[in-house]
Amino acid sequence: MTSNGVTPTDATSPLASLTRKPERAADRALLDALLDEAKVGTLGTVVDGLPWSVPMLFARDGDSILLHGSTGAGALRHVAAGAPVTFTVFVLDGLVVADTLFDHSANYRSAVIRGVLEVSGDAQTDLEVLSDKLIPGRVAEVRPTTRKELAATVALRLPIADGQWIAKARTGGPGGGSTDWTGVVPVRTVYDAPLTHSGGTPPESVRALVGPSPSTEARE
């Protein structure tokens, strides 16, 4: 039982393993790589007997998932107080095109982490870690967070504990043989050139995130 009085899911529970296509189960290395690549996940819980979920920016920090939100959000206060949660992440890697609709599929990586959120003991540090994982180097470019801003923000950690997560993935093309065209359409996420809202040249962290422009690469 956790310090919040919630009993974690036992590793032998059906929630701790795949009951359909168990061969797609992935290891901790894939889980970490997925959490480091993805930027958005969905936090879910039950509030007043009703399901509640919200997409949130996040970052992995070792054996924890870092989240943040407004202290004024009622549902966020609910999970911060110890309500059990799930956090779901999904990345689409490709559309698998077969010769029948039944055999169409997708290549993907996904994970569901269960547990109880912990309110950060050092909100400023955790918010800086989260920010620097989303945009590396950005923390050093902005002014320090004020006390008022910290007071309005709650930083949370979801432990990645053994028996409390499932990761799965599909790779490869469609099954079977066919004389019709079949294959995979790869899918990836890229950063386009930044759109300036104010100021002049984008800061170094933003330029590094986007990478060199095609014209710069051509000159090199």
Side-chain angles (χ1 to χ4, degrees):
M1 183 172 291
T2 69
S3 59
N4 294 289
V6 177
T7 302
T9 303
D10 186 86
T12 61
S13 165
L15 294 177
S17 61
L18 294 176
T19 56
R20 185 173 182 273
K21 298 191 176 182
E23 71 278 4
R24 295 187 181 177
D27 60 13
R28 177 61 190 266
L30 185 143
L31 173 69
D32 287 352
L34 169 62
L35 297 178
D36 290 344
E37 176 181 338
K39 306 297 185 186
V40 177
T42 301
L43 181 67
T45 189
V46 175
V47 179
D48 295 330
L50 297 174
W52 173 90
S53 63
V54 61
M56 299 185 72
L57 288 168
F58 79 96
R60 181 181 72 90
D61 183 33
D63 290 330
S64 295
I65 292 172
L66 299 180
L67 303 165
H68 81 292
S70 169
T71 54
L76 210 55
R77 290 199 303 270
H78 176 70
V79 296
V85 302
T86 61
F87 192 73
T88 306
V89 179
F90 182 91
V91 170
L92 179 65
D93 293 319
L95 296 176
V96 178
V97 184
D99 57 349
T100 68
L101 293 181
F102 181 81
D103 291 319
H104 278 62
S105 187
N107 288 338
Y108 64 89
R109 288 161 291 150
S110 67
V112 179
I113 301 96
R114 302 179 308 281
V116 174
L117 289 164
E118 302 170 351
V119 178
S120 171
D122 187 348
Q124 180 163 343
T125 296
D126 279 355
L127 289 172
E128 289 177 352
V129 170
L130 172 62
S131 298
D132 251 359
K133 284 183 177 287
L134 293 172
I135 306 179
R138 186 59 180 148
V139 171
E141 297 171 338
V142 299
R143 63 162 176 78
T145 304
T146 66
R147 291 184 178 180
K148 182 178 180 181
E149 290 167 340
L150 280 176
T153 307
V154 58
L156 301 165
R157 281 181 172 262
L158 177 61
I160 304 171
D162 290 343
Q164 294 289 97
W165 59 268
I166 292 177
K168 59 186 295 189
R170 185 199 188 280
T171 60
S178 175
T179 57
D180 295 330
W181 188 93
T182 65
V184 177
V185 181
V187 177
R188 62 193 178 100
T189 299
V190 298
Y191 294 101
D192 285 334
L195 305 176
T196 298
H197 182 70
S198 65
T201 303
E204 182 179 347
S205 64
V206 173
R207 297 198 303 273
L209 190 69
V210 175
S213 65
S215 58
T216 301
E217 290 179 333
R219 289 196 299 270
E220 294 176 350

